[in-house]
Each structure stands twice: as C-alpha cells, then as structure tokens.
Amino acid sequence: MRTIWWEEGLKMIDQTLLPEKLVILEVKTIRQLVEAIQSLRVRGAPALGAAGGYGVALAAQKSTFSDSENVIQEMEMAGEMIRQSRPTAINLAWGVDRVLRAASRCEDADEVRERALLEAEAIAEEDLAVNRAIGKNGARLLEDGDRVLTHCNAGRLACVGYGTALGVIRSAVAEGKDIQVYACETRPLHQGSRLTSWELSQDGIPVTLICDSVSGYLMRKGKIDKAIVGADRITSDAVFNKIGTYSHAVLARFHQVPFYVAAPLSTFDRVLQEADVTVEERDPDEVRRLGTVQLAPRDVEVYNPAFDATPLEYVSALITEKGIFRPPLMPPV
Amino acid sequence: MRTIWWEEGLKMIDQTLLPEKLVILEVKTIRQLVEAIQSLRVRGAPALGAAGGYGVALAAQKSTFSDSENVIQEMEMAGEMIRQSRPTAINLAWGVDRVLRAASRCEDADEVRERALLEAEAIAEEDLAVNRAIGKNGARLLEDGDRVLTHCNAGRLACVGYGTALGVIRSAVAEGKDIQVYACETRPLHQGSRLTSWELSQDGIPVTLICDSVSGYLMRKGKIDKAIVGADRITSDAVFNKIGTYSHAVLARFHQVPFYVAAPLSTFDRVLQEADVTVEERDPDEVRRLGTVQLAPRDVEVYNPAFDATPLEYVSALITEKGIFRPPLMPPV
C-alpha cells in the first residue's frame, strides 16, 4: 500500500492514527487537505511533494469552470493555500509548482484537469523510483551487522512508498545484510515510535525504540555504527530536518559515528541559505499535553520548533538518487 | 510544604499526579513505600535519602517486638527492601544505613524507635540546610540575565525542599539576578514538564519548556548561557544522572557552554567507579504508552535506561554544600 494515491479521488493513510489503527482518509476538499497536512495526517518531505501535486490536481477536478484560465486560477489559489500550510517543507511547493506548470501549457479545461492528474501521478511514480535509487546507492554505506540510529520517520510513510533513510536500510537488508535499527521516538509527535518502529516491524527489520535523549549514551557505549536521517530541505549550508537531528549530528561527530542524510534532489534548495529559512514553530500543547494527559502546567511557556538546521559540514554523506555526495560536494542541479 | 515529612506517620507529595493534582500520600507500610519509590511517587536523590531514613524509622514504629534486637532486625529487613527498590540511587542506601547505624546504638526497643525517627528527621533537616548551602555556593556561578538549561527535576520536589540545581537558580533569583530557565521535559517520565516547570512557575521564576532534543539547537543559536543538573551518584570518574544528561553535557562541551552539577556530598560514591555501577533499565511501556495512548507497537523492543553516566571531565564544576569543585578536583571526604 502506498502512503498517498489517487483512486477515484485523493486517498492517504491517516498517520495520526498509527500504530493502533490503519485508516484510509478520503480527501475531498483543499481545506481538508490543508488540515491533513497541518495535523500531520500526511507528512514527510517526499509524501508532501506528492500531496502538493495531488492537491492541485484535486482543485482542477473540483473546478466547475469550463475555460482553462479559470480552472488554472482556482488551481493557483489552491496551490497557494497548500504551499502555506507548512512553509518549511520545500517539497510541498515543489509538487504544487510542478503540476501547475504542467497544466498551464494546456488550452482546454478538460485537458488541464487530465494533465494535472497525470503530472501528480508522475510525481508519485517518480518518487517511488527515486527512493529505490536512493536505497540502492545508500546501501553501499551500510555493512553487515551495522547498528543504525535514525530519527523521526524517513520511511515509506514519509514518501509515496519505500522511504529515503529507511529505504537505504531496506535496500541493505534486501542485499542480505543484517541491520539493527535504533529508532528515536521523536518528540513531541512520536513519528519514531508511531511510524518508524511500526513500518520496520511490519517488514521484519529488527528495531529498538529509544527516547531521543538516549542516542548520545548509546554512541558512548559503542553501540551505534552509523546514523541516517531524511531531510525536509537542504540548502547550500545546512540540512533542515525534524527537531533533534542537529543534536544527534553533533553527538555523532563527537563520537566519530558517520552521519548520513538520505534525500531526493527535490529536497535541495539551490536558492536560500540556512539564515533565510523560517523554522515553523508549532502548538505549545503538543509538548504540554498528550491525549488526555496534562504533562505540564496548562499555561507554561513552550518553545516547540518543528525543525532544526544541521550544518552541512557535520554530514558525512548526502545520499541521493544520483549517487553519494560528501560535503562540501553537492549533487549537480 | 516539604516533599516528604513525618506528621503522625510518613507523608509525601505524590509526584506522579503533578502538575494537575497536589495529593498527599500517607505511607503506612514498607511495601507501600517500595511501591512509591519504584513508581516515582517520591524521587530525586536527596528526597530518596530522606525516604530511606523515614522508611527504616517507619519499620521501627510498626515493629511490635519489645526487645531492641528484634526491632532492629525488622528495620534491617525493611532497609534491604528499600535499598533494592532503586539500586542506582546511592542516597537511598545512605539514608537507610544512617538510621540503622544510629538506632543500633540503642539498647531498649522504645529507644530504638525514638532514635530512628529522630535520625530520619535529622536527615530531612540537614537536607534543607545542605540545599540552601548548595544554592548559595552555586549562585556565584550564575550571572544576571543568564539563560540556564536544566534536565529532569533537581528541585525542591527532588529533595526534602529547596532543591539542588533549582536551589542554585532559586538562590541566584533571591540575590536579585534575572534568570530564565529552559526546562527539558525529560522523557519518558516527564519530570521536567510535570515537576520542574510546575515548581518554577509556582515560584514565579520564568521557565520555558522544551523537548529534550531541542537543547543542542538552542545552544547553537547562542540561547543557553549555562547548564545545571543534579546527580543520582557521583563516582570518582562519572556523574550518574537522569538519562539524557550525557547528551546535554556533550552538546554543552561542543558549544562551550559551562555544564554544572549540583549535589550534596551524600551523592558522592567514594568506592565504586562508573564501570561498577548498574544502570537500572525500566519498563518498556514507559516509552510505548502514555496514559491511554499507545505510542508504539505493543510488542516493539525498547531500550529504556533510567540513567546515563557523564565523564567527570565534561563537568565544568561540581556544586556542593562545601563549595565549588572543578574536576579533577573533588570535595574531600
């Protein structure tokens, strides 16, 4: 099963209900899509690329105009809403723009609708192919017996399928290597416990769940051979990824553990630098509450950034569909 | 209000119910005390010292024998149960042994009972005095305007009152210094969110709650001036404290942020070294579940150590009631 797909409408796994329930969400409006993105029902850079593309395609299907100009205008308005729903995630804008660009070449409203959906489907298919290529390239870096730390979920649930960081692990396992994964739970939203440990367990890949604060201690005890994470945006100077990535990267550097970032070329931002990127701050209640449990005083101040930035020089290698690049080497545009 | 005290029996704040409910627990049996210690209803090295002492005194009060030998034997059995309830916490054994030693000098059963309670009360009174001395000594290290990171709860709730790491902050604030605290939530049991942010808010000391994985990023952004934590055991080579302490210490070192440990002399272990100490591993469900929320697959493997060990050379200063010691300098026995 894919994470997001089109089947008589836009469908996706509602990731907020995992690991207890596997529920398929039917997305019928742009407003519903924006809510799904903001609530992290769909998340992960590559999956957001597909969500952006499918979202614009959805706007096209729903438009009742019969002239292409008005349909495209509605698609552009939808695209803007989608783009703004999670501004740090570059793939979202990338998927939106790609479908808009493809559709804008059409002259007839029905052709716009058809072209938009085809382009969104192409994004999804390419994502799968790209992830398999990332996996194959990255698997060269993993050795039989490696114990690999990962943070958040850069798995098939973060993509249309297969995964980036976890795709590398899947490929290594498929090659017959014995890999043990340490999955950081990833506070505050537990993508590591809810998603990574779920999808690895489903695939029969050995996984041990840890609190985020345990990674340094495991490295000190010599129990981590490699660390591998995904990315939400890679500028010329830094990797933006789930909050906590930076700490793991510094700890890895300190303990001489190779630190790898696996990401498709669509994650690379060739324009902005670290200082130009706004890091999204999320609702304090994500940290103050969990379910019905009040974890902290209701009015206590909270700093809850969604991402952090890791300087590229702390990254041992970038794993892409075009090969492995060791910073300061970067993949060609 | 103290954290643990004797008032027609042994009483304590049930810390598992904070911050939503302030409930006083009446401890009537040793079995109930062991449960309270293991469930972290009372926790924190100095508070456990008092709990150990009061526990042995409770055993003495409850003993129905009329000869001192049998009363003391019951106290020793109770002491052994209490000691084993959290083996990494040196203060627990220290409190137990101190009351046992004091009572063993008595010849008459009633005298044993009286002496045991007096000694337990003395531990509690001394803890308060010691914490105030630690606070006064440590406050010299904090400057007006400092933004201070802390982990777990080394506050008044970890002690009979006042606190060690938070006692230092309280003293600095009492001296008129403006201090802003960043409290790490401290997964998996949230002592930072539940206890530290609660007790600092109660005192009107500005506190911002963060996920444990945010500390490195804040340091990189130059937003942390000092870090200060408590300790569960300090050997000649390492500080044992809540899991996550080691990562913060390495991150502090990497970012040249002073890293302080505030602890009474009773926390110093003059016999064992890091390698000799068993680190308690706790229930996997602490990480897999929270309240009624299943955070991870029910059967996923979990590594859940309660503590980690930070090499002494990563500690900028040890703050004790006898003054400040910069490793390799250690307080005299």
Side-chain angles (χ1 to χ4, degrees), chain B residues 215-258:
Chain B
S215 66
Y217 190 50
L218 279 175
M219 290 182 198
R220 174 150 193 261
K221 298 210 291 176
K223 293 199 172 171
I224 305 289
D225 301 300
K226 314 272 163 72
I228 180 165
V229 298
D232 289 85
R233 185 191 290 248
I234 302 172
T235 60
S236 62
D237 54 351
V239 173
F240 286 84
N241 192 46
K242 181 60 55 206
I243 183 70
T245 301
Y246 173 71
S247 288
H248 298 310
V250 169
L251 290 163
R253 189 180 175 85
F254 189 84
H255 295 90
Q256 298 180 290
V257 170

Side-chain angles (χ1 to χ4, degrees), chain A residues 6 19 21 37 73 122 143 165 207 210 214-215 233 237 258 277 331:
Chain A
W6 191 277
K21 284 184 203 147
I37 292 167
Q73 201 185 338
E143 288 163 83
V207 56
I210 57 171
V214 180
S215 66
R233 186 190 290 249
D237 53 351
V277 177

Side-chain angles (χ1 to χ4, degrees), chain A residues 244-265:
Chain A
T245 301
Y246 173 70
S247 287
H248 298 309
V250 169
L251 290 163
R253 189 181 176 85
F254 189 85
H255 294 90
Q256 298 179 288
V257 170
F259 189 85
Y260 302 127
V261 173
L265 290 181

Side-chain angles (χ1 to χ4, degrees), chain A residues 139-154:
Chain A
R140 298 194 334 245
L141 297 171
L142 300 189
E143 288 163 83
D144 189 40
D146 270 352
R147 294 152 302 174
V148 180
L149 183 88
T150 190
H151 188 67
C152 197
N153 174 262

Side-chain angles (χ1 to χ4, degrees), chain A residues 207-222:
Chain A
V207 56
T208 301
L209 179 63
I210 57 171
C211 290
D212 302 326
S213 65
V214 180
S215 66
Y217 189 50
L218 279 176
M219 289 182 199
R220 174 151 193 263
K221 299 209 291 177

Side-chain angles (χ1 to χ4, degrees), chain A residues 247-305:
Chain A
S247 287
H248 298 309
V250 169
L251 290 163
R253 189 181 176 85
F254 189 85
H255 294 90
Q256 298 179 288
V257 170
F259 189 85
Y260 302 127
V261 173
L265 290 181
S266 58
T267 312
F268 286 76
D269 182 335
R270 312 291 185 164
V271 179
L272 302 183
Q273 290 200 302
E274 179 189 345
D276 306 320
V277 177
T278 306
V279 168
E280 171 190 354
E281 287 187 31
R282 296 181 58 87
D283 185 347
D285 273 339
E286 288 182 354
V287 183
R288 289 189 295 220
R289 292 184 64 83
L290 202 153
T292 56
V293 181
Q294 187 70 33
L295 298 171
R298 285 162 196 263
D299 55 355
V300 71
E301 185 130 348
V302 172
Y303 174 59
N304 182 25

Side-chain angles (χ1 to χ4, degrees), chain A residues 20 185 187 246 255 298, chain B residues 20 185 187 246 255 298:
Chain A
E20 288 286 272
E185 62 171 355
R187 283 283 294 157
Y246 173 70
H255 294 90
R298 285 162 196 263
Chain B
E20 288 286 271
E185 63 171 354
R187 284 283 294 156
Y246 173 71
H255 295 90
R298 285 163 196 262

Side-chain angles (χ1 to χ4, degrees), chain A residues 95-109:
Chain A
V96 164
D97 292 343
R98 182 166 154 181
V99 171
L100 279 177
R101 207 162 45 239
S104 69
R105 293 185 209 117
C106 308
E107 286 180 10
D108 161 87

